[in-house]
């Protein structure tokens, strides 16, 4: 027993150092009035920061903006990713080359992707708006009412390959017998997809959607590289709002409390999702 504990001890120590200490220190900051510009030890304020966070309209507005971004981006990634995965599953030639080309956007850092699209979609010097103007279309990608959907499009461009990767792996793991039986019975391709393929693919779909939603909630680089939360506060996502509060306005205590509220929301979503998956498996 002692030997086993000795084997696990380095891993536990690493976890405490890498995860436990930062979380503990962030929680300590969340119950203080600590500011980057203040001197001396911060004053303990208890739950005041959390009460202020729950009553902050700007925080909940950024929460809604993030929810809209996640819904649009992940929804499009799911539909497009499933279509591409189904096409790749049937591809018989140059499949390795096609898959490697499709996965390429995943390996570009998000800040670089944001900067690329910042210049491509700029209404003054961008190549895409200039091309649209040649056919009589004047569209401001980062204008009011459009910027959040542009950011979602950027996320779709970069992370649809991740959805394709997961769904393609799920499709290739589906047993062939139910599909062949449905075809022998004369079922159409759409019927097989809706009644056989998608139900068998459901566990992979849930995991893929959950992973992408959790990752999309952390969107920061695209906002920082393109809109900086504008126009106005239309693209002020949760992560960017926390960054502004803690770094630009020096209120690290308030920013830490906001981060912990987001953490609790995310953990709640994860627990609910996995419990539903377990219930589905039992039934």
């Amino acid at each position: 027993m002692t030997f086993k504990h000795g084997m696990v001890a380095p891993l536990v120590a690493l976890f405490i150092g890498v995860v436990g200490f930062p979380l503990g220190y962030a929680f300590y900051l969340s119950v203080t009035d600590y500011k980057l510009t203040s001197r001396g030890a911060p004053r303990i304020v208890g739950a005041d920061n959390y009460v202020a966070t729950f009553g902050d309209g700007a925080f909940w507005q950024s929460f809604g903006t993030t929810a809209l971004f996640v819904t649009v981006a992940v929804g499009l990634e799911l539909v497009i990713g499933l279509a591409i995965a189904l096409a790749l599953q049937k591809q018989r030639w140059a499949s390795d080359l096609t898959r490697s080309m499709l996965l390429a956007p995943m390996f570009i850092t998000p800040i670089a992707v944001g900067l690329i699209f910042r210049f491509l979609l700029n209404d003054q010097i961008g190549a895409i708006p200039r091309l649209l103007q040649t056919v009589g279309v004047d569209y401001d990608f980062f204008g009011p009412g459009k910027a959040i959907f542009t950011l979602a499009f950027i996320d779709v461009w970069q992370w649809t390959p991740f959805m394709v990767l997961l769904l393609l792996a799920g499709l290739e793991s589906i047993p062939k017998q139910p599909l062949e039986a449905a075809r022998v019975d004369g079922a159409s391709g759409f019927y097989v997809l809706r009644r056989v393929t998608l139900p068998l693919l459901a566990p992979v779909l849930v995991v893929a959607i959950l992973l992408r939603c959790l990752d999309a909630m952390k969107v920061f680089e695209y906002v920082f590289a393109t809109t900086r939360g504008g126009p106005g506060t239309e693209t002020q996502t949760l992560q960017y709002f926390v960054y502004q509060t803690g770094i630009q306005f020096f209120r690290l205590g308030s920013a830490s409390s906001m981060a912990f509220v987001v953490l609790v929301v995310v953990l709640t979503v994860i627990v609910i999702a996995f419990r539903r998956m377990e219930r589905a498996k039992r039934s």
Side-chain angles (χ1 to χ4, degrees):
M1 199 70 175
T2 305
F3 177 74
K4 291 182 180 179
H5 289 168
M7 293 286 289
V8 176
L11 181 60
V12 173
L14 181 64
F15 179 82
I16 292 174
V18 174
V19 179
F21 176 75
L23 279 177
Y25 187 68
F27 180 75
Y28 162 73
L29 290 179
S30 71
V31 296
T32 68
D33 62 349
Y34 182 71
K35 296 182 179 180
L36 287 174
T37 55
S38 62
R39 295 182 179 180
R43 182 172 60 90
I44 302 294
V45 296
D48 289 355
N49 287 333
Y50 290 93
V51 173
T53 296
F54 281 105
D56 190 348
F59 173 79
W60 293 112
Q61 182 183 357
S62 66
F63 195 97
T65 300
T66 305
L68 175 61
F69 171 84
V70 171
T71 302
V72 174
V74 177
L76 288 175
E77 288 165 11
L78 177 62
V79 174
I80 298 172
L82 180 60
I84 295 175
L86 289 169
L88 288 178
Q89 187 189 24
K90 297 178 180 179
Q91 186 180 11
R92 293 292 178 264
W93 54 274
S95 59
D96 293 337
L97 177 61
T98 304
R99 296 179 187 187
S100 62
M101 291 175 62
L102 283 172
L103 296 178
M106 288 175 51
F107 303 107
I108 308 175
T109 57
I111 191 69
V113 172
L115 290 172
I116 290 170
F117 280 96
R118 175 184 176 182
F119 291 106
L120 278 176
L121 303 177
N122 186 278
D123 62 337
Q124 296 179 353
I125 62 173
I128 295 178
R130 285 292 180 89
L131 289 174
L132 292 176
Q133 288 171 6
T134 59
V135 295
V137 178
D138 190 7
Y139 188 86
D140 184 5
F141 286 93
F142 297 114
K146 304 170 186 175
I148 190 66
F149 298 103
T150 300
L151 293 180
F153 164 77
I154 296 173
D155 191 82
V156 169
W157 181 85
Q158 181 168 28
W159 293 112
T160 295
F162 178 78
M163 191 72 76
V164 172
L165 190 65
L166 291 180
L167 297 182
L168 185 59
L171 287 171
E172 292 182 346
S173 66
I174 292 177
K176 305 299 181 184
Q177 291 82 1
L179 301 176
E180 294 174 354
R183 294 192 184 98
V184 169
D185 290 339
S188 64
F190 180 74
Y191 184 89
V192 172
L193 174 65
R194 186 165 59 94
R195 293 293 186 178
V196 182
T197 304
L198 290 182
L200 293 174
L201 195 62
V204 178
L205 286 171
V206 172
V207 172
I209 293 171
L210 181 62
L211 289 176
R212 277 304 305 135
C213 285
L214 293 177
D215 189 59
M217 281 191 67
K218 301 186 300 181
V219 60
F220 171 80
E221 294 90 343
Y222 304 147
V223 182
F224 184 82
T226 56
T227 63
R228 299 294 176 96
T233 57
E234 284 191 16
T235 59
Q236 194 176 60
T237 58
L238 276 173
Q239 297 297 329
Y240 192 77
F241 184 70
V242 172
Y243 160 79
Q244 282 188 316
T245 303
I247 304 301
Q248 291 188 348
F249 304 145
F250 309 120
R251 295 159 45 205
L252 278 183
S254 299
S256 298
S257 67
M258 294 174 186
F260 266 92
V261 170
V262 175
L263 177 63
V264 170
V265 171
V266 170
L267 290 177
T268 302
V269 171
I270 293 174
V271 170
I272 293 174
F274 276 103
R275 285 188 176 181
R276 288 188 176 182
M277 287 177 61
E278 290 178 1
R279 290 175 183 175
K281 288 180 180 179
R282 292 172 184 174
S283 60

